[in-house]
Amino acid sequence: MSFTLIQIILIGVALLGAFRTVRQFRAGRVPPAWLAFWGACWTALAVVAFIPQTTDIAANIFGVGRGVDLAVYVSIVLLFALSFKLLMKIEDLERDITRLVRALALKDSDKTDHVA
Amino acid sequence: MRVIAVIPCYNEASEVGRVVQTVRSFVAQVIVVDDGSNDASAEEARKAGAVVVQHVINRGLGASLGTGFAAALMNGADAVVTLDADGQHDPSEIPSLVAALEAGADAALGSRMLTRTGMPARRQFANTLGNVLTFLLFGSWVTDSQSGYRAINASTLAKMDLKTNRMEVSSEIIAELCRVGACVVEVPIKAIYTEYSLSKGQNWFVGIKTAIKLLLRRLSS
């Protein structure tokens, strides 16, 4: 069984991703739900790389012409979802920073003319 | 009614002292929130008689207003008036905003669009876009959603939950006033556009960023 260069790269990426995810989970930095999600993503990538025809089966189920088209559509949707999640996370962090800055500012503010 | 003025300030050393001095005669206390300025804004405000609250780093207009509101409530405000540090608001209009609160409103929003005195056409257009976006996202219509001149009574302020950090706070305040069921009135104000205040104005890029942030605020609420 021979593999093309792109298949080797994709399998390598899936293995590396799975390894890193498990390591992060063991270190307690990734919750079980994220381990399951990323585990499924890396497994799907590896399966597609090993047996590219699987994307055609999925494409037929979803009514998309070619398997590779389906992969691109799904990737775009996932990337958008990930970007949105990251944006929301950044907004949360921004709010936390403001809360800290505000607490410091109020603690150190001018005491003159304050009402007791 | 103990009225406290909150003036958010970022690098306004040349104007803030004069603004504080003028505002002082209309309110019980002036709080200047220095938002991590690199110049002598805090010193100038303090010299002019303001209570200064300083952010150690720049956090934006929304964060500054939030800090100013918290400080004003701590200092026993019955009502809070906000205005800009660049001198574009006329402090002699504070009594008309406060009068609206005394007449029973929970919040009085200064509107430049009711007078349109000296307001550049480009600003009017940008403001209208801001009004439409505020209406579409939060369901409340006002004629000048981006106005920084407003008065809000303390009990209403205590119920509001401001989350945004930057320019989007103007629309968020309107959304929050609507959410807490406040009685809101609009009061005509004139805007004083000088070369200085125009140079401090926002560009279209900031406008687009503000719109995106408002959308995120809507989706996260």
Side-chain angles (χ1 to χ4, degrees), chain A residues 88 91 94 98 102 110 113, chain B residues 29 52 59 63 67 165 213:
Chain A
M88 299 305 283
E91 284 296 304
E94 291 263 356
T98 295
R102 180 168 299 147
D110 296 346
D113 202 22
Chain B
Q29 187 182 73
V52 177
R59 296 305 301 147
T67 301
N165 284 319
K213 294 259 185 176

Side-chain angles (χ1 to χ4, degrees), chain A residues 1-49:
Chain A
M1 188 178 187
S2 63
F3 290 110
T4 62
L5 184 59
I6 187 69
Q7 282 179 298
I8 294 166
I9 290 171
L10 286 177
I11 291 164
V13 167
L15 285 174
L16 193 68
F19 173 70
R20 281 181 62 91
T21 307
V22 169
R23 207 169 61 170
Q24 298 270 0
F25 175 69
R26 281 189 176 160
R29 286 196 284 263
V30 170
W34 272 110
L35 175 72
F37 171 76
W38 283 111
C41 288
W42 299 128
T43 307
L45 183 63
V47 168
V48 167

Side-chain angles (χ1 to χ4, degrees), chain B residues 25-26 81 90-102 149 187:
Chain B
S25 52
F26 296 99
V81 174
D90 180 0
S92 69
E93 290 175 320
I94 290 175
S96 56
L97 290 168
V98 174
L101 299 189
E102 285 169 339
Y149 206 1
V187 174

Side-chain angles (χ1 to χ4, degrees), chain B residues 29-53:
Chain B
Q29 187 182 73
V30 180
I31 295 174
V32 168
V33 184
D34 175 42
D35 192 22
S37 297
N38 303 313
D39 64 7
S41 294
E43 288 76 17
E44 291 298 326
R46 205 171 274 126
K47 263 196 281 180
V51 170
V52 177
V53 184

